[in-house]
Amino acid sequence: MGITLNYSLHRQIVIGLIMLLLVTGRDAALAVTCTPTPWDEIGPFYRPNAPVRNTIGKGYVLSGTVRSADDCRPLPNIRIEVWQVGPGGEYNADHRATLFSDQNGRYRLETSFPPPYASRPSHIHILVDAKGFEGLITQHYPKKGSRGATFDLVIVPETESDVKKKNAFGR
């Protein structure tokens, strides 16, 4: 025994399904969140007050967008500190910088490809500090032989209780 639908009923069902998809899709789009960038160790070589600049070497470009985890919106004028091992294999003042995201949340760092340090792979330390957001300490691990990478920095909005228990590094 089969079910036969007349054209009018079939049309009403299809229109209803389309409307349901449109409403569900809109609500899903409004509920977009971004996965926060994972924390990584700060390491023993962090020094505050790195000079404001976006070039600390040549040959490798790290860029990305700073975003809010709650809605993925780009965040302008966010302070980002970076530090890394220089080509000579040592941490030094020449390979530290403070940069800021632009009006569209984008940042760009030109640097030299960091060599491995001790038993660790090549890496660039990153600290993000933004009013109203939890601080972030992370690291970018460049792929051997690459000349650049995109690394978005997704930070989490603070809650009132976060502010009370936060230390100098946002934790």
Side-chain angles (χ1 to χ4, degrees):
M1 174 175 201
I3 298 176
T4 305
L5 296 177
N6 68 31
Y7 176 76
S8 179
L9 181 58
H10 183 262
R11 185 171 171 243
Q12 289 175 350
I13 291 171
V14 169
I15 289 172
L17 288 172
I18 289 171
M19 292 184 69
L20 178 65
L21 288 172
L22 288 173
V23 170
T24 304
R26 186 201 70 206
D27 290 346
L30 294 174
V32 169
T33 59
C34 286
T35 302
T37 301
W39 273 72
D40 205 330
E41 65 184 274
I42 191 167
F45 298 105
Y46 171 73
R47 302 291 177 267
N49 304 315
V52 176
R53 56 188 173 189
N54 61 1
T55 301
I56 55 174
K58 295 221 177 283
Y60 190 80
V61 174
L62 179 62
S63 62
T65 303
V66 182
R67 297 184 179 279
S68 172
D70 67 349
D71 58 9
C72 294
R73 78 181 182 284
L75 299 172
N77 202 36
I78 300 300
R79 185 174 163 272
I80 304 164
E81 284 187 72
V82 297
W83 64 101
Q84 70 177 67
V85 171
E90 295 184 5
Y91 283 92
N92 59 45
D94 292 338
H95 294 91
R96 298 172 50 238
T98 298
L99 45 142
F100 293 87
S101 62
D102 69 13
Q103 68 274 10
N104 297 309
R106 294 183 303 241
Y107 75 93
R108 182 180 188 279
L109 172 70
E110 184 171 1
T111 187
S112 46
F113 192 95
Y117 184 78
S119 63
R120 301 216 42 230
S122 298
H123 59 281
I124 299 171
H125 296 270
I126 302 169
L127 182 146
V128 182
D129 186 26
K131 186 175 182 170
F133 290 84
E134 293 178 12
L136 171 66
I137 297 168
T138 193
Q139 294 180 38
H140 165 67
Y141 296 91
K143 292 182 182 170
K144 189 174 183 173
S146 65
R147 299 191 43 82
T150 300
F151 187 59
D152 287 350
L153 301 167
V154 180
I155 56 179
V156 177
E158 286 181 333
T159 63
E160 216 173 286
S161 63
D162 290 335
V163 175
K164 292 177 184 173
K165 59 185 177 184
K166 186 164 89 168
N167 69 19
F169 296 114
R171 294 222 56 158

